Amino acid sequence: MYQLLDPSRFVVFITGATSGFGEAAARRYVAAGGKVIATGRREDRLKKLQAELGPDNCHVIALDVQDRAAMEKAIAELPAPFDAVNIVLANAGLALGLQPAAEANLDDWQTMIDTNVSGLVYTVRLLLPGLIARGGGHVVTLGSVAGEYAYPGGSVYGATKAFVKQFALNLRSDLQGKKVRVTNIEPGLTETEFSLVRFKGDESKASAPYSKTQAMNADDIAESIFWATTLPAHVNVNKIELMATTQAIGAFDIYRED
């Protein structure tokens, strides 16, 4: 059996903690004795999460990861003991739309790039020096199977997640000797608010991907994150690709003329 690290030493900075993976991860770490900095755009949800987990265990900050100045200020002003971050969960991200590339909304594309790429690099770059100065830690990025496998309508979303994958791998090289581990989590079909956001609140469209099947849930992904970060410090899990048992990689898409 692996000897797990003392969970009370975990101080976890989480982006996108108002729902889905981020919210589930916050609960998982606090349940194990850790402390969490939960960030996200929806302050009401953050306050509710803090009330549930307790202010001594959960510090909340309402912000948008696209706002670099807000990120810089929030990280610089973290109070003790929440300033001793040793795990960064760069979770904030989204998909918008599912139209073919020639019909897609450019504003949707830009929002995905600003959140999934720019927000990610702001988060990691601003917190990395502290991890290194404190003797090590763990960066967890949230990719997707969409960064590995193409599907119609996923051009820019998939491209942003491919960026996440490569960014995480390059971080591993840059952080050699710094005692900072890096893991990219790549979930497949998971029932959260993901589709509701993608289809801008259209519940009928949002529920369709999960109809008559059993998807994963946010707790499943949170458990994989927790596992990777509680392995012995000399073990680095480069990536975890997860798919529901009911999901598989499809056949090649071949266009045939009538």
Side-chain angles (χ1 to χ4, degrees), residues 27-256:
R27 290 193 178 99
R28 183 66 181 92
Y29 280 108
V30 169
K35 296 189 182 297
V36 164
I37 303 100
T39 74
R41 292 176 299 167
R42 294 172 285 190
E43 187 172 13
D44 58 333
R45 292 198 178 191
L46 291 174
K47 292 295 185 183
K48 184 177 179 182
L49 182 64
Q50 185 180 49
E52 174 192 336
L53 301 179
D56 291 339
N57 302 317
C58 180
H59 178 68
V60 298
I61 309 171
L63 56 75
D64 188 331
V65 292
Q66 297 181 35
D67 187 338
R68 177 176 166 182
M71 289 289 292
E72 290 173 339
K73 183 175 186 294
I75 292 167
E77 296 178 356
L78 284 172
F82 296 100
D83 57 343
V85 175
N86 52 28
I87 298 175
V88 178
L89 176 49
N91 166 73
L94 78 169
L96 291 172
L98 200 60
Q99 302 94 333
E103 302 169 19
N105 184 312
L106 269 175
D107 290 336
D108 288 349
W109 278 8
Q110 190 64 57
T111 299
M112 286 187 280
I113 293 167
D114 291 344
T115 305
N116 301 357
V117 176
S118 297
L120 168 77
V121 300
Y122 296 161
T123 302
V124 174
R125 173 61 182 85
L126 293 170
L127 286 160
L128 260 184
L131 267 63
I132 295 169
R134 285 185 288 276
H138 204 136
V139 174
V140 181
T141 56
L142 251 297
S144 168
V145 294
E148 300 279 358
Y149 314 109
Y151 64 86
S155 51
V156 168
Y157 175 69
T160 64
K161 293 304 182 178
F163 175 91
V164 175
K165 175 183 69 173
Q166 194 61 38
F167 180 63
L169 289 173
N170 287 343
L171 279 177
R172 288 274 293 118
S173 294
D174 284 349
L175 292 168
Q176 278 287 61
K178 305 297 185 184
K179 299 182 180 179
V180 178
R181 300 185 291 179
V182 184
T183 301
N184 188 38
I185 308 292
E186 300 183 352
L189 186 68
T190 312
E191 189 166 5
T192 62
E193 293 183 1
F194 176 84
S195 283
L196 196 63
V197 172
R198 162 168 264 171
F199 295 112
K200 301 179 180 179
D202 188 323
E203 293 185 1
S204 61
K205 286 184 179 180
S207 62
Y210 315 114
S211 177
K212 298 181 180 180
T213 192
Q214 185 173 358
M216 296 183 292
N217 58 51
D219 289 337
D220 297 328
I221 309 307
E223 192 62 34
S224 72
I225 294 166
F226 184 81
W227 172 78
T229 58
T230 53
L231 288 172
H234 67 279
V235 179
N236 190 97
V237 179
N238 289 341
K239 76 170 184 177
I240 302 176
E241 181 184 307
L242 307 96
M243 298 177 79
T245 305
T246 56
Q247 183 184 30
I249 302 162
F252 284 113
D253 182 16
I254 301 173
Y255 173 73
R256 304 183 190 280

